[in-house]
């Protein structure tokens, strides 16, 4: 903690202590404290002091609104001379972050009074909707939220109401999923997490694919989320068409993990784009059936292949490994590279600066790791739209929490900052300027219009 932070905290403590002391010394709270000590008044929970303060404050505000509307104070002797008059009140239950509050909402004789403090038809106040959406984004189910609100703040909200509150953000999700995009992304990463979705009368696994684009400034953006309906080129053709319709005119490199039909869809939409297999995914596939005792040796033997200066050198290294005793003992490792060879070798044509950028989809995998923690609490999703909604909310929630942590450390020296950086949205790709310079040499005609 810096000296400035300490001084600011001490200043707040002094001010709050002084205010509390003046209020206590005035004696206005003595009767209240006595009732609290005797158990006659409780601070929180159902019918607690906090709820009663909310009730009193809201009803006082509603009476002030009605006074302004009818033109006279309550009990005014000249009330009969006004065109409109008070007409008692009606009960209304509103849910707040302190629990359910029973209000007496005043009304007028003409029926023209419309409250602003507690609008007609509104049953929830005090940021309760935001709390529910935040709990949902954190991975809690509708049933969990219902129980949590009832057990913590004594607010009874039905599952149907909670579902409606969460569904209200569907328009925001749709707007985000269809927002215009940049015309050019040098690199796009694509990866997926597996979720369970109900389809008709059956629950099955589906892949929720997340695309992250790197713009000319090296800043990462989540371009969209797609739940894969069917395997193959048809699905990926629809995804590429959607990106093109949202404004993407060209992509240099798309880094992904060997998806069926994806290279064909990319080549049909952006003919000059390269589809690069994620090298880390390829290594994992190659190591999948290697025995524990040989893992270190195989991993070391694979390095000369993916660190080779060019495709010919890599092919020679792979042939040498295949002919060795280690390669003969692990034919699956050799086959993994051979099967992915055409989508692996574009990586070898680039200098080290570009290789570091397209070597792996780890940037998006770290996001997927956070999202899996959110989705694991659910047995399954009712439909594809529910998957997209939760993942979008979770991404927003993760970024907001990290931004809040960074804000608390603003002004501290870099060595004292421990808050996590941006996860994806708005993060800057490491060594991007060097990579962009090399890409400009490799693709001068395609990059020059966007410089």
């Amino acid at each position: 903690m810096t000296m400035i932070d300490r001084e600011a905290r001490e200043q707040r403590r002094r001010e709050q202590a002084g205010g509390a002391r003046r209020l206590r010394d005035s004696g206005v709270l003595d009767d209240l404290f006595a009732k609290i000590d005797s158990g006659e008044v409780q601070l929180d929970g159902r019918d607690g002091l906090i709820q009663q303060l909310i009730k009193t404050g809201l009803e006082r505000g509603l009476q002030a609104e009605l006074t302004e509307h009818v033109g006279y104070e309550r009990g005014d002797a000249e009330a009969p001379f006004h065109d409109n008059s008070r007409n008692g009140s009606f009960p209304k239950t509103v849910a707040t972050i302190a629990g359910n509050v029973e209000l007496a909402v005043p009304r007028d004789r003409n029926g023209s009074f419309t409250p602003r403090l507690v609008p007609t038809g509104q049953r929830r106040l005090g940021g309760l909707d935001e709390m529910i959406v935040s709990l949902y984004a954190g991975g809690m189910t509708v049933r969990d939220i219902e129980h949590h609100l009832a057990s913590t703040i004594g607010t009874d909200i039905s599952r149907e109401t909670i579902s409606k509150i969460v569904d209200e953000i569907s328009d925001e999700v749709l707007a985000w999923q269809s927002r215009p995009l940049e015309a050019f992304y040098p690199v796009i990463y694509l990866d997926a997490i597996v979720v369970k979705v109900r389809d008709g009368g059956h629950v099955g696994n589906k892949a929720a694919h997340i695309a992250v684009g790197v713009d000319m400034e090296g800043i990462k953006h989540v371009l969209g989320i797609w739940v894969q309906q069917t395997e193959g080129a048809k699905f990926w053709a629809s995804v590429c068409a959607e990106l093109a319709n949202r404004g993407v005119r060209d992509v240099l490199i798309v880094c992904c993990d060997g998806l069926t039909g994806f290279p064909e869809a990319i080549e049909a939409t952006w003919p000059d784009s390269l589809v690069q297999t994620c090298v880390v995914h390829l290594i994992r596939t190659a190591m999948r059936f290697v025995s524990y005792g040989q893992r270190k040796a195989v991993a070391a033997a694979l390095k000369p292949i993916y660190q080779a200066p060019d495709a010919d050198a890599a092919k020679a290294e792979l042939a040498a490994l295949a002919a060795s005793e280690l390669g003969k003992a692990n034919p699956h490792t050799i086959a993994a590279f051979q099967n992915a060879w055409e989508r692996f070798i574009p990586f070898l044509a680039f200098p080290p600066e570009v290789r570091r950028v397209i070597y792996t989809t780890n940037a998006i995998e770290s996001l997927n790791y956070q999202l899996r923690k959110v989705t694991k609490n659910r047995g399954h999703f009712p439909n594809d739209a529910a998957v997209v909604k939760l993942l979008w909310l979770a991404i927003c929630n993760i970024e907001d929490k990290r931004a809040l942590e960074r804000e608390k450390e603003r002004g501290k020296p870099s060595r004292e900052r421990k808050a996590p950086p941006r996860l994806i949205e708005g993060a800057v790709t490491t060594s991007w300027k060097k990579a962009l310079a090399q890409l400009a040499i490799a693709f001068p005609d395609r990059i020059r219009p966007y410089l």
Side-chain angles (χ1 to χ4, degrees):
M1 182 180 296
T2 64
M3 184 64 68
I4 297 176
D5 290 336
R6 292 194 185 93
E7 292 177 355
R9 178 175 292 183
E10 289 300 324
Q11 179 65 22
R12 288 197 303 271
R13 287 175 177 171
R14 288 193 294 269
E15 292 174 354
Q16 292 176 4
R21 184 172 56 254
R22 289 191 297 272
L23 187 62
R24 185 175 60 250
D25 294 343
S26 67
V28 298
L29 298 178
D30 291 346
D31 291 342
L32 178 60
F33 288 151
K35 291 180 179 180
I36 292 174
D37 293 339
S38 65
E40 185 178 348
V41 173
Q42 63 183 72
L43 285 175
D44 54 6
R46 295 179 184 271
D47 301 322
L49 176 61
I50 296 175
Q51 277 195 359
Q52 296 306 312
L53 286 174
I54 294 175
K55 172 181 171 65
T56 304
L58 290 175
E59 290 181 346
R60 182 176 179 181
L62 290 169
Q63 289 291 346
E65 287 185 11
L66 183 60
T67 295
E68 181 183 356
H69 182 73
V70 298
Y72 66 91
E73 294 285 348
R74 189 172 186 176
D76 193 332
E78 297 184 359
F81 300 104
H82 290 266
D83 296 334
N84 198 1
S85 61
R86 299 172 185 270
N87 188 29
S89 62
F90 64 92
K92 181 175 183 177
T93 303
V94 293
T96 73
I97 57 175
N100 290 339
V101 174
E102 304 294 336
L103 296 179
V105 181
R107 56 190 174 193
D108 62 332
R109 184 71 60 182
N110 295 343
S112 58
F113 174 56
T114 302
R116 297 188 300 274
L117 189 59
V118 185
T120 303
Q122 183 170 333
R123 294 286 179 176
R124 300 178 303 275
L125 300 176
L128 192 60
D129 286 15
E130 290 79 3
M131 177 188 293
I132 290 172
V133 171
S134 177
L135 293 173
Y136 186 84
M140 293 181 69
T141 64
V142 170
R143 187 189 298 269
D144 293 337
I145 296 172
E146 179 190 31
H147 175 71
H148 176 76
L149 295 178
S151 60
T152 55
I153 63 177
T155 297
D156 297 321
I157 299 182
S158 67
R159 297 173 200 171
E160 292 76 13
T161 301
I162 295 173
S163 294
K164 289 179 181 178
I165 293 171
V166 176
D167 286 343
E168 287 176 359
I169 65 167
S170 296
D171 291 341
E172 295 181 49
V173 178
L174 182 62
W176 173 80
Q177 187 80 342
S178 59
R179 74 195 189 281
L181 300 175
E182 299 286 338
F184 178 66
Y185 289 94
V187 181
I188 287 180
Y189 302 102
L190 192 70
D191 202 6
I193 62 174
V194 177
V195 293
K196 293 186 180 296
V197 183
R198 178 173 292 279
D199 190 358
H202 304 280
V203 175
N205 290 337
K206 287 189 176 182
H209 295 273
I210 301 175
V212 173
V214 182
D215 65 16
M216 287 291 288
E217 300 300 322
I219 300 174
K220 300 172 187 174
H221 306 275
V222 179
L223 305 183
I225 303 170
W226 296 272
V227 179
Q228 188 162 3
Q229 302 284 348
T230 57
E231 285 283 348
K234 184 177 180 181
F235 170 76
W236 291 115
S238 66
V239 171
C240 293
E242 180 182 323
L243 291 173
N245 291 336
R246 290 166 61 189
V248 181
R249 296 288 172 261
D250 194 10
V251 179
L252 294 184
I253 304 168
V254 181
C255 186
C256 63
D257 176 28
L259 302 170
T260 305
F262 185 66
E264 293 78 7
I266 287 289
E267 291 164 0
T269 309
W270 302 294
D272 297 325
S273 297
L274 290 176
V275 179
Q276 170 63 52
T277 293
C278 171
V279 178
V280 171
H281 275 97
L282 179 57
I283 295 171
R284 288 175 186 167
T285 302
M287 298 286 290
R288 183 168 297 165
F289 299 109
V290 178
S291 64
Y292 180 79
Q294 292 185 327
R295 291 185 71 85
K296 287 186 178 180
V298 173
L302 291 177
K303 277 188 178 181
I305 300 174
Y306 61 81
Q307 292 181 352
D310 54 43
D312 291 336
K315 190 172 184 178
E317 294 290 348
L318 180 61
L321 176 59
S324 68
E325 292 299 323
L326 193 61
K328 292 177 181 178
N330 297 279
H332 174 80
T333 299
I334 307 301
F337 270 85
Q338 289 174 341
N339 294 337
W341 192 254
E342 292 304 318
R343 298 301 174 187
F344 162 67
I345 56 175
F347 164 83
L348 301 173
F350 295 104
E353 292 80 7
V354 178
R355 288 190 185 188
R356 293 190 191 100
V357 175
I358 64 174
Y359 170 75
T360 177
T361 58
N362 271 354
I364 195 170
E365 286 186 39
S366 62
L367 171 64
N368 287 346
Y369 172 76
Q370 297 291 334
L371 296 180
R372 286 189 187 97
K373 294 195 294 185
V374 174
T375 59
K376 71 178 182 179
N377 293 334
R378 284 168 166 73
H380 66 273
F381 291 86
N383 50 54
D384 295 349
V387 178
V388 176
K389 178 172 60 181
L390 176 63
L391 294 180
W392 177 77
L393 277 172
I395 292 170
C396 295
N397 194 41
I398 293 167
E399 297 294 3
D400 288 346
K401 286 192 294 187
R402 292 190 171 206
L404 182 62
E405 294 179 40
R406 292 196 301 274
E407 181 64 26
K408 291 180 180 179
E409 295 186 350
R410 177 175 291 183
K412 291 184 179 181
S414 57
R415 63 180 179 276
E416 297 181 13
R417 296 178 189 170
K418 298 180 180 179
R422 292 179 185 270
L423 186 59
I424 283 290
E425 192 65 38
V428 179
T429 305
T430 304
S431 303
W432 175 248
K433 294 297 184 182
K434 293 181 179 179
L436 184 62
Q438 295 296 329
L439 289 173
I441 295 173
F443 306 99
D445 296 336
R446 295 169 65 188
I447 287 185
R448 190 178 298 116
Y450 303 100
L451 292 176

